[in-house]
Amino acid sequence: GQNIDQPTEMTATEGAIVQINCTYQTSGFNGLFWYQQHAGEAPTFLSYNVLDGLEEKGRFSSFLSRSKGYSYLLLKELQMKDSASYLCAVRDRDYKLSFGAGTTVTVRA
Amino acid sequence: IAGITQAPTSQILAAGRRMTLRCTQDMRHNAMYWYRQDLGLGLRLIHYSNTAGTTGKGEVPDGYSVSRANTDDFPLTLASAVPSQTSVYFCASSEGENQPQHFGDGTRLSIL
């Protein structure tokens, strides 16, 4: 099984940068995903890492260190619409996803 | 518009009743999944199907059953609903088991 930890809440100012950390313990690692979920809506796919390093996608970047069981999602140039919950999910060797409880990010003007 | 459709959007159900949550996708994705989302616990996998005709158990399968008669449909059945099954249920699909999952809009289910 998986044990996935991420902070419950974070607050940041519009235009700033926020880093959401995710640590995991897994019996078989096969990739890490980040999803964004606005209140009352479905999760939407943001990024995927399977090898160590940084993946950049516009204002969002995701980093993975498999040896440390660690990932982070970096949100740059924060906008009000980025206020949402961010879910870290680890895929196991059977290709099933286990999700963290999510980090609620609040962007203030 | 291609995507995943879940029905109903929300439902209030008496304990002991049988309920089927519907999920249909038109993307011809092979893999489909059912999750429940509870406050503070995140998304937990109930059942999954890697291809039509096959199903598997996830982390919290008890009290739920699924079927996958064709590629598009993946219904979730609660045979005898209990209050602990009050949750938001999300259906998801992916092109293959190693591809990102795409989620439906969810069904809010309250068991009284």
Side-chain angles (χ1 to χ4, degrees):
Chain A
Q2 324 284 359
N3 185 14
I4 302 168
D5 289 314
Q6 51 182 129
T8 304
E9 294 179 331
M10 301 183 75
T11 301
T13 305
E14 196 174 15
I17 298 172
V18 69
Q19 178 175 313
I20 305 169
N21 296 324
C22 173
T23 58
Y24 64 88
Q25 295 173 318
T26 177
S27 55
F29 179 82
N30 198 9
L32 188 142
F33 295 78
W34 284 97
Y35 283 82
Q36 179 191 60
Q37 186 177 25
H38 286 100
E41 297 183 7
T44 56
F45 168 71
L46 284 179
S47 70
Y48 167 63
N49 296 73
V50 66
L51 300 176
D52 291 351
L54 189 68
E55 293 284 339
E56 296 188 82
K57 235 187 216 185
R59 293 190 298 113
F60 294 0
S61 302
S62 58
F63 171 83
L64 175 67
S65 168
R66 289 171 296 171
S67 62
K68 295 181 180 177
Y70 169 70
S71 172
Y72 68 71
L73 180 69
L74 196 68
L75 286 62
K76 295 178 277 190
E77 301 169 20
L78 278 173
Q79 302 175 10
M80 299 300 288
K81 67 178 182 180
D82 297 330
S83 292
S85 186
Y86 292 85
L87 314 178
C88 175
V90 174
R91 186 170 65 192
D92 65 18
R93 63 168 69 92
D94 295 323
Y95 296 97
K96 292 194 289 295
L97 283 184
S98 292
F99 285 81
T103 299
T104 300
V105 172
T106 302
V107 181
R108 292 182 177 168
Chain B
I1 298 177
I4 301 174
T5 302
Q6 290 186 235
T9 303
S10 65
Q11 181 78 43
I12 299 174
L13 190 68
R17 297 295 297 269
R18 180 184 180 89
M19 176 73 190
T20 295
L21 307 185
R22 300 184 298 277
C23 176
T24 300
Q25 53 101 0
D26 60 4
M27 298 176 283
R28 307 302 294 172
H29 283 176
N30 287 317
M32 297 188 75
Y33 312 85
W34 273 106
Y35 294 89
R36 60 178 290 174
Q37 187 173 36
D38 303 289
L39 198 62
L41 293 178
L43 287 154
R44 291 181 293 168
L45 183 65
I46 304 171
H47 285 288
Y48 65 95
S49 169
N50 288 331
T51 189
T54 69
T55 62
K57 293 181 180 180
E59 180 185 354
V60 288
D62 294 343
Y64 306 95
S65 63
V66 292
S67 61
R68 187 88 184 278
N70 56 61
T71 297
D72 299 343
D73 301 300
F74 191 43
L76 176 75
T77 297
L78 289 67
S80 180
V82 294
S84 62
Q85 292 178 310
T86 293
S87 187
V88 181
Y89 290 85
F90 286 100
C91 179
S93 72
S94 62
E95 190 171 350
E97 55 190 1
N98 63 343
Q99 299 296 317
Q101 294 179 18
H102 301 275
F103 287 79
D105 289 335
T107 294
R108 292 183 177 277
L109 187 62
S110 296
I111 313 297
L112 304 179

